[in-house]
């Protein structure tokens, strides 16, 4: 046998081994992801009625809306939605419209009357929280993702921490956060996002920090540096996240909507404080509600 043939056989064998290894790892990772998604999956009762419409929306690459709920769930306590972030993804403009709904916002909770919006989760879980946001914004929430904020620290640690830009120095939970660029581990990120009493913008400032940390964590999770941490990330997700997205829907979002995160448009919900009895609420003027609804409608109909 000639040296050339021997070389070709050796190179071919090595290539085959590499391809089999990569293929096996890809299959392993797909199975791991599938198992995690199955563990995270928690459908809403209303999904049965609108599943076909949602699938059609995604097939046609039309805008979809996602509600992110950050919930403080502790033993023997159902908890309340400490964080509500609404995001509308438009693949035709490659833009995301994103804003936080302050937890003290005074709204109508279907079947419960008027109350703070974060009480919707305490009254009726994710189902009622989604319905309340749909009612407030006069739009459809296609998907929700619920994150246990007590497990949030594990998620930040799993991606190797996050780097944020802090507007002013403050301390919280025994940690000092200087102004400027700050790298946070999971424990630090939890206290960084929970502080609001020292913030001149109160709950608005707190929700902005939450959005910034979540965005940084997402970007870090999708970076090449996090490739070696995939198992840790998946384990954390499975333990602390629930969603009504199934595997096929996640794949469609990745293929049809992934470019939307390149341009994120952030908005603020503005209101004024008012006591009703001894309870403080954030009140929204009718003009402000109409402004936010118009922003959502305009974003979804562009492109």
């Amino acid at each position: 046998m000639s040296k050339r043939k021997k070389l070709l056989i050796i190179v071919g064998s090595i290539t085959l081994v590499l391809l089999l290894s990569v293929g096996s790892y890809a299959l392993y990772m797909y199975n791991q992801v599938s198992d995690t998604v199955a563990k995270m999956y928690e459908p809403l009762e209303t999904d049965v009625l609108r599943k076909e419409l949602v699938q059609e929306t995604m097939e046609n690459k039309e805008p979809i809306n996602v509600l992110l709920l950050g919930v403080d769930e502790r033993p023997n306590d159902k908890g309340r939605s400490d964080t509500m972030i609404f995001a509308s993804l438009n693949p035709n403009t490659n833009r995301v419209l994103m804003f936080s709904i302050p937890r003290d916002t005074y709204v109508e909770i279907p079947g419960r009357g008027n109350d703070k919006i974060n009480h919707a989760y305490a009254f009726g879980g994710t189902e009622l929280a989604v319905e309340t946001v749909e009612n407030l914004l006069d739009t459809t929430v296609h998907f929700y993702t619920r994150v246990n904020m007590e497990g949030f620290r594990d998620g930040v640690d799993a991606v190797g921490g996050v780097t944020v830009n802090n507007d002013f120095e403050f301390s919280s939970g025994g940690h000092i956060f200087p102004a400027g660029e700050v790298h946070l581990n999971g424990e630090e990120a939890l206290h960084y996002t929970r502080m609001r009493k020292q913030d001149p913008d109160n709950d608005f400032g707190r929700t902005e920090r939450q959005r910034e940390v979540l965005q940084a964590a997402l970007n870090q999770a999708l970076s090449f540096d996090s490739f070696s941490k995939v198992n840790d990330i998946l384990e954390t997700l499975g333990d602390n996240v629930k969603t009504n997205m199934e595997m096929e829907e996640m794949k469609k979002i990745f293929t049809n909507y992934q470019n939307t995160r390149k341009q994120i448009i952030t908005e603020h919900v503005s209101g004024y404080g008012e006591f009703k009895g001894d309870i403080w609420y954030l009140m929204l003027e009718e003009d402000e509600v109409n402004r936010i609804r118009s922003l959502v409608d305009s974003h979804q109909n562009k492109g």
Side-chain angles (χ1 to χ4, degrees):
M1 185 181 294
S2 68
K3 289 184 179 180
R4 178 178 173 79
K5 283 188 176 180
K6 285 182 179 179
L7 181 60
L8 286 173
I9 291 172
I10 292 170
V11 171
S13 299
I14 292 172
T15 303
L16 180 60
V17 170
L18 287 173
L19 286 173
L20 288 172
S21 298
V22 170
S24 298
Y25 184 73
L27 179 61
Y28 165 76
M29 287 311 305
Y30 183 86
N31 289 334
Q32 289 289 97
V33 171
S34 296
D35 290 345
T36 301
V37 172
K39 189 176 180 180
M40 290 162 52
Y41 183 59
E42 189 175 282
L44 301 174
E45 290 180 13
T46 50
D47 285 346
V48 177
L49 301 174
R50 58 184 177 185
K51 199 73 170 178
E52 188 175 329
L53 177 62
V54 171
Q55 289 175 349
E56 186 178 327
T57 297
M58 298 182 75
E59 286 290 346
N60 295 334
K61 298 183 181 180
E62 297 172 5
I64 57 170
N65 301 324
V66 180
L67 180 65
L68 173 63
L69 296 170
V71 180
D72 267 327
E73 292 180 315
R74 299 171 190 182
N76 303 316
D77 182 7
K78 186 174 184 178
R80 295 174 182 174
S81 53
D82 192 52
T83 303
M84 276 188 168
I85 298 177
F86 176 86
S88 182
L89 290 66
N90 189 334
N92 301 306
T93 60
N94 283 335
R95 291 181 176 181
V96 175
L97 172 66
M98 181 184 293
F99 55 84
S100 296
I101 304 172
R103 63 181 185 175
D104 295 323
T105 304
Y106 189 71
V107 298
E108 180 186 351
I109 299 176
R112 289 283 184 163
N114 292 337
D115 207 331
K116 292 186 178 185
I117 196 166
N118 73 326
H119 287 184
Y121 181 81
F123 292 149
T126 304
E127 198 91 37
L128 188 57
V130 167
E131 187 180 354
T132 301
V133 170
E134 290 181 327
N135 189 52
L136 172 65
L137 301 180
D138 192 25
T139 193
T140 299
V141 172
H142 300 94
F143 298 108
Y144 82 87
T145 299
R146 189 178 78 237
V147 181
N148 177 11
M149 296 305 285
E150 283 297 301
F152 175 67
R153 73 189 79 187
D154 299 330
V156 173
D157 284 335
V159 298
V162 295
T163 300
V164 297
N165 273 304
N166 187 25
D167 291 337
F168 61 94
E169 181 174 317
F170 66 89
S171 60
S172 178
H175 303 280
I176 297 174
F177 303 98
E181 190 173 275
V182 184
H183 187 77
L184 308 171
N185 62 27
E187 180 70 18
E188 292 165 339
L190 194 61
H191 289 289
Y192 180 81
T193 56
R194 278 181 169 168
M195 189 282 291
R196 67 171 179 161
K197 291 185 177 179
Q198 300 172 57
D199 197 311
D201 290 330
N202 203 273
D203 201 43
F204 294 106
R206 183 181 70 93
T207 54
E208 179 60 26
R209 285 194 305 279
Q210 290 174 341
R211 187 199 62 76
E212 184 185 13
V213 169
L214 287 169
Q215 182 62 38
L218 175 62
N219 289 338
Q220 184 67 12
L222 295 175
S223 71
F224 182 78
D225 292 341
S226 292
F227 185 75
S228 63
K229 308 182 183 80
V230 168
N231 284 330
D232 290 339
I233 294 171
L234 290 176
E235 184 177 344
T236 301
L237 287 174
D239 290 339
N240 297 294
V241 177
K242 295 296 179 185
T243 181
N244 61 339
M245 293 185 206
E246 295 184 86
M247 188 68 179
E248 286 303 310
E249 292 163 338
M250 288 188 181
K251 285 163 64 178
K252 284 178 183 175
I253 288 177
F254 183 78
T255 55
N256 296 343
Y257 296 82
Q258 64 170 324
N259 288 331
T260 59
R261 71 185 184 93
K262 293 180 179 178
Q263 189 171 358
I264 299 175
I265 303 164
T266 57
E267 275 292 336
H268 295 279
V269 177
S270 301
Y272 62 92
E274 181 178 298
F275 278 95
K276 291 184 179 294
D278 59 352
I279 300 176
W280 188 90
Y281 297 92
L282 180 75
M283 311 298 294
L284 304 184
E285 298 277 9
E286 185 177 348
D287 286 349
E288 176 65 0
V289 174
N290 290 334
R291 183 185 75 86
I292 294 297
R293 288 179 175 180
S294 294
L295 280 172
V296 173
D297 185 65
S298 176
H299 170 79
Q300 292 173 341
N301 288 298
K302 282 183 178 178

